[in-house]
């Protein structure tokens, strides 16, 4: 065979992706570019010519996990490029692991590719340089993260995101919609809209109007949600900061245009602690808005996260938070013990809470919320819910799904027994959206039976 037509063995790159969904999207962009340039992605250190580690640096535990992952990659492979939020935290990577080949910050596909080109030049091969139009993704085929902006304009005292990822930079709305259309065409059934601050989308460009398929669309959350609804798939909003204009999207949920699911991190309920956090709103105002949202969209699921043990938090402050849980009756809730983050302004505040008290408060918080969650889930018994199938366990004859109220990885699941007496009816596939009658529940999950479809 002529040497000019001989297929080359592509360079192989290993990839370790850590951190939040925003980091996952960064990883997907890098992986897509790698495949576009002919690199092969391999699942093991020993099969790789080089390894990329996308890190998290938000809290101390994440820093330690990232440094350990870098060390493991160096031990197992030896050629490592580091990217992600940890790379933006000064020289910590180079000081800990001086043998890494290169270090970049987050959202840095171009810089990562430059480092890869330097240490592992691409060998173009027209036989293998093929990338699906939706790009390379790390999520299952039936759902995908859709990142609409980078960075944040807020200066919450517990957070270092602006120093890691910069101020808000919104993606052009026509680019976002084009990506959403490609994902829908590729079979994605659920879009998870993410950013550091979803409700601030477009603030930095003064809500500029762009054109998509000849139609004008404002770079703004409400108009984006309206436009996303045209693709006929689930649209789920995450990381929504409680601005007043959030009220505008609740009618879209009531109309079925986007999922009736709002991920809105309230963080606390004590006015004193909220002020120390530099977070907005008061407990009374928040409760009033929650009640208004439920009046407009009775099926809305409200998810939130809270911090216990923030500097200066007294028992009285914490009891206010527990009282808020009783009054708000939130559907999905997470709670984290405050931990110092290098570079965060909260570290300078007085009144550090002892670790044992932090953990005790988290336990009390989650115990109270477990009771609330159990009571709210119990109200689903006997009802029919739309669910999306995530997995099928053939050994246990069980379908594992999620309802419209449950986001992947962070919320509950719906377990569905496959009927053994009618194997001809077991045609469910991962990614299907189907209906289930709920038969019983616990604090976080539901169980049910498939609704028989008419022939």
């Amino acid at each position: 065979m002529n040497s000019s037509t001989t297929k080359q063995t592509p360079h192989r790159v290993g990839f370790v992706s850590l951190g939040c969904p925003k980091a996952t999207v960064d990883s997907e962009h890098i992986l897509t570019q790698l495949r576009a340039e002919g690199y092969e992605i391999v699942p093991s250190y020993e099969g790789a010519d080089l390894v990329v580690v996308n890190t998290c640096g938000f809290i101390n535990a994440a820093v330690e996990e990232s440094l350990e992952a870098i060390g493991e990659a160096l031990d197992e492979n030896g050629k490592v490029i580091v990217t992600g939020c940890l790379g933006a935290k000064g020289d910590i990577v180079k000081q800990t692991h001086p043998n890494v080949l290169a270090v970049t910050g987050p959202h840095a596909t171009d810089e990562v590719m430059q480092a890869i080109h330097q240490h592992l030049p691409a060998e173009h091969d027209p036989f293998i340089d093929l990338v699906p139009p939706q790009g390379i993704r790390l999520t299952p085929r039936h759902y995908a993260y859709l990142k609409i902006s980078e960075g944040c304009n807020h200066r919450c005292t517990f957070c270092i995101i602006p120093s890691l990822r910069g101020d808000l930079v919104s993606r052009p709305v026509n680019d976002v919609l084009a990506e959403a259309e490609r994902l829908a065409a590729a079979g994605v059934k659920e879009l998870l809209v993410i950013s550091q601050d979803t409700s601030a989308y477009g603030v930095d460009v003064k809500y500029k109007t762009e054109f998509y398929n000849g139609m004008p669309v404002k770079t703004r959350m409400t108009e984006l949600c309206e436009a996303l609804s045209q693709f006929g798939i689930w649209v789920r909003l995450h990381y929504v900061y409680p601005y007043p204009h959030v009220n505008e999207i609740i009618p879209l949920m009531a109309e079925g245009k986007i999922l009736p699911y709002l991920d809105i991190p309230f963080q606390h309920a004590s006015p004193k602690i909220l002020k120390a956090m530099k977070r907005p709103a008061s407990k009374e105002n928040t409760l009033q808005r929650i009640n208004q949202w439920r009046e407009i969209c009775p099926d809305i699921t409200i998810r939130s996260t809270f911090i216990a043990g923030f500097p200066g938090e007294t028992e009285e402050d914490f009891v206010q938070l527990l009282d808020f849980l009783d009054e708000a009756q939130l559907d999905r809730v997470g709670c984290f013990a405050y931990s110092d983050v290098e570079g965060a302004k909260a570290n300078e505040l007085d009144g550090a809470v002892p670790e044992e008290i932090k953990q005790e408060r988290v336990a009390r918080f989650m115990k109270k919320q477990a009771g609330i969650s159990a009571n709210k889930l119990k109200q689903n018994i006997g009802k029919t819910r739309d669910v999306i199938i995530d997995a099928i366990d053939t050994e246990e004859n069980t379908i594992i799904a999620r309802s419209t109220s449950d986001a992947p990885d962070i919320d509950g699941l719906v377990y569905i027994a496959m009927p053994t007496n009618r194997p001809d009816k077991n045609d469910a596939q991962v990614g299907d959206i189907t209906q289930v009658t709920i038969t019983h529940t616990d604090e976080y999950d539901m169980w049910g039976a498939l609704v028989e479809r008419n022939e």
Side-chain angles (χ1 to χ4, degrees), residues 429-448:
Q429 300 291 324
V430 171
D432 285 353
I433 294 175
T434 188
Q435 290 191 317
V436 172
T437 301
I438 304 302
T439 55
H440 64 285
T441 61
D442 64 11
E443 291 96 336
Y444 303 111
D445 299 318
M446 299 188 288
W447 285 258

Side-chain angles (χ1 to χ4, degrees), residues 75-229:
D75 290 342
E76 297 292 334
N77 182 276
K79 298 179 71 175
V80 177
I81 291 172
V82 176
T83 187
C85 287
L86 187 59
K89 299 187 73 169
D91 296 328
I92 184 171
V93 174
K94 281 286 191 179
Q95 289 173 355
T96 309
H97 298 296
N99 293 328
V100 296
L101 300 177
V103 180
T104 81
H107 196 52
T109 300
D110 290 344
E111 291 90 335
V112 172
M113 294 308 301
Q114 288 170 13
I116 292 172
H117 294 158
Q118 179 182 348
H119 297 282
L120 195 66
E123 295 179 351
H124 176 73
D125 186 339
F127 291 100
I128 61 171
D129 292 0
L130 299 173
V131 176
Q134 74 274 18
I136 305 299
R137 294 188 292 110
L138 298 176
T139 52
R141 288 188 61 186
H142 60 286
Y143 68 82
Y145 293 109
L146 182 67
K147 185 158 67 170
I148 63 173
S149 65
E150 190 63 66
C152 184
N153 289 341
H154 296 289
R155 296 298 182 263
C156 303
T157 56
F158 55 83
C159 182
I160 58 171
I161 289 296
S163 65
L164 296 178
R165 291 181 173 261
D167 288 335
L168 176 74
V169 178
S170 299
R171 288 181 63 192
V173 68
N174 50 343
D175 286 355
V176 173
L177 291 171
E179 181 181 357
E181 185 174 20
R182 289 193 300 271
L183 290 167
V188 167
K189 302 293 183 63
E190 177 182 14
L191 291 175
L192 301 113
V193 178
I194 60 169
S195 66
Q196 264 72 44
D197 180 1
T198 296
S199 41
Y201 179 60
V203 167
D204 55 314
V205 295
K206 299 180 180 179
Y207 305 123
K208 179 182 177 182
T209 297
E210 302 276 5
F211 284 84
Y212 179 71
N213 286 344
M215 298 294 292
V217 184
K218 269 190 177 182
T219 309
R220 191 168 177 270
M221 180 178 65
T222 305
E223 286 78 0
L224 173 64
C225 290
E226 184 84 50
L228 287 172
S229 69

Side-chain angles (χ1 to χ4, degrees), residues 44-56:
S44 63
Y45 292 121
E46 58 270 19
D49 299 308
L50 178 151
V51 177
V52 177
V53 181
N54 189 6
T55 60
C56 180

Side-chain angles (χ1 to χ4, degrees), residues 389-406:
I389 296 175
D390 280 341
I392 298 175
D393 187 338
T394 54
E395 291 186 4
E396 298 293 331
N397 286 323
T398 300
I399 296 170
I400 302 168
R402 287 178 292 107
S403 73
T404 56
S405 301
D406 300 296

